[in-house]
Amino acid sequence: MLKGKKILIGISGGIAAYKICTLVRLLVKQGAEVRIIMTPSAVNFVSPVTLSVLSGNEVFINMFPESPDLCNAEKTELKTWHVNFGLWADVFLIAPATANTIAKISAGIADNFLLASVLASKCPVIISPSMDDDMYKNHVTTFNIDKLKFSGYKIIEPEYGELASGLVGEGRMPEPEKLFGYLKEFFDKKSDLSGKKILITAGPTVEFIDKVRFVSNPSTGKMGFEIARAAKDRGAEVTLISGPVMLNDIAGVKRINVTSADEMLKSVKLNLRNKDLIVMAAAVEDFRPVKKVNTKIKKEDKNRFVFEFEKTPDILYFLGKNKKRYKLAGFALETENLLENAKKKLKEKNLDFIVLNNPDIHGAGFGTNTNVITIIDTKSTKSYPLMSKYDAGNEILNKFLSLK
Ligand code: C5P
């Protein structure tokens, strides 16, 4: 699994840095290509020469070459340019990640080569915190780690045990064999959706009343986009149909922008072919004005306005009714009788499973980077704790893979 994989390791200044020598050896033995960046303080714990010999590559520490002459792109082949590493790697592991490096990543600071590379990277970043028990339990560190989790970074939880300070507590970086196992599992999972074609809808729909006014809802599209990102990371071919949102494109995901429920239905129909899974995460508006006025409605001489609304097409219902080879998942955003309503929808819309979220729970629903979901099918109901929308996306994809 690791043959030819491009693994970038960022080492910050903690005593656990010595363990990385063994990790590099294990990875290289399996045929992985390993490149290493160290923070200036990490060189006090382990020698860059050792790591360079073990990885078979030059180890980078400084943001700028010592001689200004070397800044010439041709001479250096842009080797130390921060963006290159992040683009080159399949995965970026920061281990050990000190409290200082974690805090800086979480604040978006880029004042050394390792941090600049993290900020510029496009691959998944895995962080293995390693520090003293007191530092680990400090609220500021806990907050920073949570922030990283919610931003989509993967965290390898530190272990309980003897620490370099002599204290016994939490904060130990796992042994190199364990980190190796984590990377192996990461790559196993990375390809478990390869060959699968997945269609995802996201964001709100916008239904215009007149030239400039519309009915919509506060959906930001984050949930659908994170499912798309997770599916792409696991090797799927992903099509993302999105209502109007403020989110950037995801590299490797085909994105189609639509505005109204009608347009979304049309686009879904056009992109149905050969799909293995369809996830309707869009918050499709349920109503639209019967008549759309093509000019701006004047407010003069009127205190009241009456608009007539009609139902928009239920895209999910259409997909359930016409289901052939694809598996179908819907979302339910409920504020009362949550489970009952979700189960009713599961049946009525002929879904394989439904994802329930309750916008009244802190950290769930519209606009947040996190969600609290319950996945329901005809046989089981499973509730998950608060997690990033990326992780929730992975749970939804795991559910798809578990279906017979
Ligand atoms: O019935 P309800 O609208 O609450 O169901 C929500 C689910 O149905 C979501 O998955 C949503 O994307 C989908 N939906 C749809 N077309 C609509 C309204 C909702 O596909 N017009």
Side-chain angles (χ1 to χ4, degrees), residues 161-182:
E162 205 178 306
L163 301 164
S165 61
L167 284 174
V168 172
E170 263 178 284
R172 249 176 94 98
M173 190 176 85
E175 293 305 311
E177 291 75 12
K178 261 208 169 158
L179 293 180
F180 175 77
Y182 192 97

Side-chain angles (χ1 to χ4, degrees), residues 327-347:
K327 298 286 181 207
L328 184 59
F331 268 75
L333 184 90
E334 302 289 339
T335 48
E336 47 196 350
N337 302 328
L338 315 187
L339 272 179
E340 259 168 74
N341 281 331
K343 283 182 180 166
K344 201 167 146 229
K345 246 173 238 179
L346 175 79
K347 206 167 150 214

Side-chain angles (χ1 to χ4, degrees), residues 255-303:
R255 172 171 172 179
I256 300 165
N257 293 323
V258 296
T259 305
S260 64
D262 252 359
E263 278 181 36
M264 188 171 275
L265 174 63
K266 245 187 234 158
S267 182
V268 164
K269 282 181 178 169
L270 279 174
N271 287 283
L272 268 185
R273 249 180 73 137
N274 298 332
K275 293 295 177 288
D276 299 287
L277 169 69
I278 301 178
V279 185
M280 279 292 305
V284 184
E285 265 302 309
D286 287 325
F287 311 104
R288 67 173 168 217
V290 174
K291 263 202 323 229
K292 187 196 152 192
V293 181
N294 284 326
T295 51
K296 183 181 170 193
I297 298 169
K298 289 277 178 207
K299 67 175 186 293
E300 278 101 46
D301 304 330
K302 265 198 190 177
N303 285 327

